[in-house]
Amino acid sequence: MKRRERRAVLQSALSTQTKKFLIGLLLILMLISTPGFPSERPQRDRIFAVAQRMEAAFKELADYTCEVNQIYYRNGEEDQIYRFKFFLKKEKKIRIDFFQPHSGMTVIYKEGEDKATIIPFRSSPKVRFRFPVDSILIKTPTGQRIDQTDIGHLLGFLSKNLQTVRQGEAQFQEDDEKVSFVLWALDYIEEKTLEKYRISVSKKIWLPN
């Protein structure tokens, strides 16, 4: 009887240990497989807080000017660099002065129109051409049209992808002058391809710089 009792106690102890081990293993697997938990969440929350500050600043905006250094990636590698000066007027008039590529070219667009004005050489402003907004000549390498370049479009793009796309490793940097971060997002044309965007925001005006 004593041997049977000892065997029963031993089996009970082993069974309890096995249950604890299995429960612990299950919790670990849940932590690993749960989307956005735990390392992704701080990254997403910090970017979302910046987006809220940007939206508040945009609502108070009259006219806006910034210099943009835009990097496009292909297969995870740097592919093309665009440098330009962007002007946005309150009446929804957009002007882009290019420095790289198309050095010396200016594109002008007014909201609601189906065509944009191209000035090939800023030194000769009277030479102008009109092209549809969906012309490949004035689209970005990702297919973005000029009527999709204002801050309102960017804010909608940020908000949607922060809610629907899993963010990768934290790449959030902040100093006294600016906040920089990497956003993983579906492309804003067809929303099929996962792309990486590097965004820098001025802490003085809470808009891209």
Side-chain angles (χ1 to χ4, degrees):
M1 288 295 294
K2 290 183 179 181
R3 289 183 179 178
R4 291 180 180 177
E5 290 176 357
R6 288 177 182 174
R7 186 177 299 171
V9 171
L10 181 60
Q11 289 177 344
S12 177
L14 288 173
S15 178
T16 301
Q17 291 178 357
T18 301
K19 287 179 180 178
K20 289 181 178 180
F21 172 76
L22 291 174
I23 292 173
L25 180 61
L26 179 61
L27 289 173
I28 291 173
L29 291 174
M30 289 175 64
L31 290 175
I32 293 174
S33 62
T34 301
F37 185 87
S39 61
E40 177 196 351
R41 192 167 297 164
Q43 164 82 342
R44 184 177 56 210
D45 290 347
R46 284 183 291 182
I47 298 176
F48 185 73
V50 173
Q52 288 181 315
R53 297 290 296 269
M54 292 172 65
E55 184 174 2
F58 181 62
K59 289 179 179 179
E60 302 296 324
L61 186 66
D63 297 336
Y64 176 62
T65 302
C66 69
E67 293 186 2
V68 179
N69 182 29
Q70 197 163 21
I71 303 174
Y72 293 92
Y73 291 82
R74 184 187 298 272
N75 299 323
E77 300 292 333
E78 187 176 303
D79 183 42
Q80 297 184 59
I81 299 177
Y82 275 57
R83 293 189 175 94
F84 55 88
K85 195 167 187 177
F86 181 90
F87 303 84
L88 173 66
K89 299 295 183 180
K90 193 66 175 180
E91 62 270 20
K92 296 295 184 180
K93 185 176 181 180
I94 294 172
R95 171 177 171 147
I96 301 176
D97 289 347
F98 284 91
F99 302 106
Q100 178 185 340
H102 318 306
S103 178
M105 186 178 80
T106 291
V107 180
I108 300 173
Y109 172 76
K110 189 171 183 178
E111 184 183 34
E113 295 186 352
D114 59 358
K115 291 185 178 181
T117 299
I118 296 181
I119 302 174
F121 307 103
R122 284 190 288 278
S123 59
S124 303
K126 291 184 179 181
V127 180
R128 300 181 172 212
F129 302 93
R130 296 276 285 174
F131 287 92
V133 294
D134 59 355
S135 170
I136 192 173
L137 295 174
I138 54 176
K139 283 184 178 181
T140 68
T142 58
Q144 184 184 19
R145 304 189 309 268
I146 190 170
D147 58 343
Q148 299 172 319
T149 57
D150 66 13
I151 305 300
H153 177 79
L154 173 62
L155 292 173
F157 178 72
L158 280 172
S159 177
K160 181 176 182 179
N161 284 281
L162 284 171
Q163 296 179 48
T164 59
V165 177
R166 181 175 180 178
Q167 299 303 307
E169 296 180 3
Q171 297 184 47
F172 188 99
Q173 298 179 340
E174 182 175 3
D175 56 31
D176 293 337
E177 297 182 353
K178 66 181 180 180
V179 174
S180 302
F181 58 87
V182 168
L183 175 78
W184 287 94
L186 295 178
D187 68 276
Y188 35 69
I189 305 302
E190 297 181 351
E191 297 186 342
K192 293 180 179 180
T193 306
L194 186 64
E195 297 178 346
K196 181 169 65 172
Y197 298 83
R198 296 183 186 275
I199 300 174
S200 178
V201 179
S202 167
K203 292 179 68 175
K204 183 178 181 180
I205 59 174
W206 287 104
L207 292 171
N209 62 359

